[in-house]
Each structure stands twice: as C-alpha cells, then as structure tokens.
C-alpha cells in the first residue's frame, strides 16, 4: 500500500533522515522503533505532507504523495495523530469529531466511513459525546485524537506515541482498539511507540531508526535479537 523510496530530510546542516526506504503492505501494522531524535516523527511528517523531503518519494497505492499539502494527503487516504494531543478544548467530543467529518474526508468515497454515532460507539466514547474535550483525561483525549483521524475515512493511519503517559490497563485497551481498527475497518497502521511491549505485541514488522538511518527491519522477534538494535539501545560492552 505505502512505498517510501530513499527519503532524506535535512534541516540546515542537520540530516534528520538519510535514504530511508521501506514498504507497508495493506492491512499491516508496521512499527517504527528508535530513540528520541532518531527521525521517527520527521518521517511521519514527510509522509503526511507536513514536511517536504530533501529528496526521495512517497507513494500510496501508486499515487505519488510527495509535494502534496497535508489536506490533500488526508484526502488521498492518510490520517495522522500527534504526540501532543490538541483537541478543540472548548468544544464537545462530538463537535470535535464533526469538524473532522466536515473538513477531513474531502471528496473520497464515504461508502466505508462510519457515521458520527457509529464512530463514537466504535471508540467507546458515546457517553462522553457532550463532554468538553478539555475536561477529558489524557487517555480519553488520545482516543478522541484517534477518533478525529478515523473520521477522515483513512486507508492508512499514522499513530505517533498514542500510548505515552498511559497506565498499563489503558495501554492494553489501546492495543485492542488498534487491532479492532484493522480487523473491522481494514485500516493499515503505522505506529511509533516507546512502549516496547506494546510495539512488539502489535506489529507485524518493525523498522528501527538510529540517528536518521534505517539500521534494521523485520519481525518483532528478529528485531529483538538484532545486534545492531541491541547496540543502539544498550551500547556495546
């Protein structure tokens, strides 16, 4: 579904990404692993159109996304969440979702798009529909962030550290929610996560970045045993 071909991104003299290439199959859950500063969020920004790459291309279902504005990338079928949730705090949960429905899905077919009511139910947030977004807990705000992304009827969902700051129970609930998105909505997921247990449990494949370079890609078990990954995370004796 997604093809990333030799993406590089520099900020002045800082090279945040260096010749990154990979493919994500349809309906996969593809994990991205790396320490802070490895380039993970920059990669998401390039895919979603928030940043232009210095070089390279991004393709979704044979459509070139490189150079498209973020709202055009969203209309093409890619939705993104952010590390720091920023709902419209003075609006209700339902109003937040309605805005995403109104402006996010563009002219794409709505045949497989959930209604507002169905989306609230799917995310387990129907009883919070009339709560102000600013009154929600962190876990609830992260669910709202995901719900707003789903309201754009994406084919691919980019999740950026949605489990950060959550309790073990809340993390497990989100793991089940992400699996449900794939199983029931057919959505392909890319996920950046520092909660390693969750990333290993969820992902079909994991790519590891270190200082802007891809150092490994494979199944969770092969990544856990990879000496380059162990060195990047734990150092060399």
């Amino acid at each position: 579904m997604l093809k990333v071909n030799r993406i590089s991104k520099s900020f002045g003299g800082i090279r945040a990404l260096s010749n990154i290439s990979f493919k994500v199959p349809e309906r996969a859950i593809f994990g991205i692993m790396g320490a802070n500063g490895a380039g993970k969020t920059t990669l998401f920004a390039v895919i979603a159109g928030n940043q232009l790459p210095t070089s390279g291309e991004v393709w979704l279902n044979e459509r070139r996304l490189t150079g498209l504005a973020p709202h055009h990338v969203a209309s093409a079928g890619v939705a993104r969440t952010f590390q720091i949730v920023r709902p419209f705090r003075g609006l209700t949960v339902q109003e937040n979702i309605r805005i995403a429905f109104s402006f996010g899905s563009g002219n794409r077919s709505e045949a497989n798009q959930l209604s507002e009511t169905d989306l609230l139910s799917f995310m387990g947030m129907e009883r919070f529909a009339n709560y102000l977004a600013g009154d929600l807990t962190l876990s609830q705000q992260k669910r709202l962030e995901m719900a707003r992304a789903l309201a754009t009827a994406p084919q691919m969902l980019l999740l950026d550290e949605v489990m950060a700051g959550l309790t073990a129970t809340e993390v497990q609930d989100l793991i089940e929610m992400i699996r449900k998105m794939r199983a029931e909505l057919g959505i392909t997921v890319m996920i950046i996560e520092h909660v390693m247990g969750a990333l290993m449990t969820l992902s079909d494949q994991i790519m590891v970045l270190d200082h802007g370079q891809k150092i490994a890609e494979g199944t969770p078990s092969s990544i856990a045993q990879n000496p380059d990954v162990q060195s990047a995370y734990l150092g060399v004796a």
Side-chain angles (χ1 to χ4, degrees):
M1 172 176 279
L2 183 80
K3 291 189 289 187
V4 174
N5 186 29
R6 298 185 65 81
I7 285 291
S8 294
K9 178 63 180 177
S10 297
F11 298 95
I14 305 296
R15 196 169 179 88
L17 295 170
S18 182
N19 293 320
I20 305 297
S21 296
F22 61 95
K23 297 178 181 179
V24 181
E26 186 175 2
R27 296 186 68 142
I29 297 179
F30 189 89
I32 301 178
M33 178 177 168
N36 289 332
K40 305 182 301 298
T41 295
T42 299
L43 178 61
F44 267 20
V46 168
I47 294 171
N50 304 110
Q51 296 277 357
L52 284 173
T54 304
S55 61
E57 296 179 326
V58 178
W59 296 79
L60 181 74
N61 291 328
E62 307 304 324
R63 178 177 179 181
R64 189 175 186 268
L65 300 184
T66 313
L68 296 182
H71 62 286
H72 288 144
V73 174
S75 292
V78 178
R80 178 190 180 190
T81 69
F82 292 83
Q83 291 180 31
I84 300 174
V85 293
R86 291 176 180 168
F88 296 105
R89 298 177 62 83
L91 299 181
T92 66
V93 167
Q94 186 150 17
E95 288 167 339
N96 268 269
I97 291 174
R98 186 166 297 155
I99 289 171
F101 268 108
S102 299
F103 297 100
S105 56
N107 296 318
R108 292 188 298 109
S109 169
E110 297 183 0
N112 297 320
Q113 185 169 345
L114 297 172
S115 68
E116 287 181 26
T117 303
D118 289 341
L119 180 54
L120 282 166
S121 177
F122 184 86
M123 296 300 296
M125 299 196 72
E126 59 267 44
R127 68 189 180 95
F128 302 109
N130 295 317
Y131 282 47
L132 292 179
D135 292 337
L136 299 177
T137 65
L138 176 61
S139 175
Q140 291 162 353
Q141 287 191 15
K142 293 201 172 194
R143 279 187 179 250
L144 175 57
E145 180 89 345
M146 294 166 70
R148 294 197 303 173
L150 288 178
T152 68
Q155 299 172 59
M156 170 163 280
L157 182 59
L158 312 182
L159 299 176
D160 195 347
E161 295 193 39
V162 291
M163 299 177 196
L166 304 186
T167 67
T169 299
E170 291 167 341
V171 166
Q172 187 58 44
D173 287 344
L174 275 192
I175 288 174
E176 296 307 319
M177 177 58 63
I178 294 167
R179 286 173 170 160
K180 184 179 174 184
M181 288 177 187
R182 171 167 68 173
E184 298 185 17
L185 303 180
I187 291 176
T188 304
V189 176
M190 288 182 63
I191 181 168
I192 295 169
E193 194 50 67
H194 282 300
V195 181
M196 286 298 100
L199 193 67
M200 292 290 182
T201 297
L202 268 173
S203 302
D204 303 311
Q205 292 281 116
I206 295 176
M207 178 177 69
V208 185
L209 299 181
D210 184 44
H211 294 95
Q213 296 187 339
K214 174 180 169 180
I215 62 169
E217 182 179 350
T219 63
S221 60
S222 68
I223 291 297
Q225 299 169 19
N226 187 294
D228 292 333
V229 176
Q230 293 173 359
S231 175
Y233 268 82
L234 304 175
V236 179

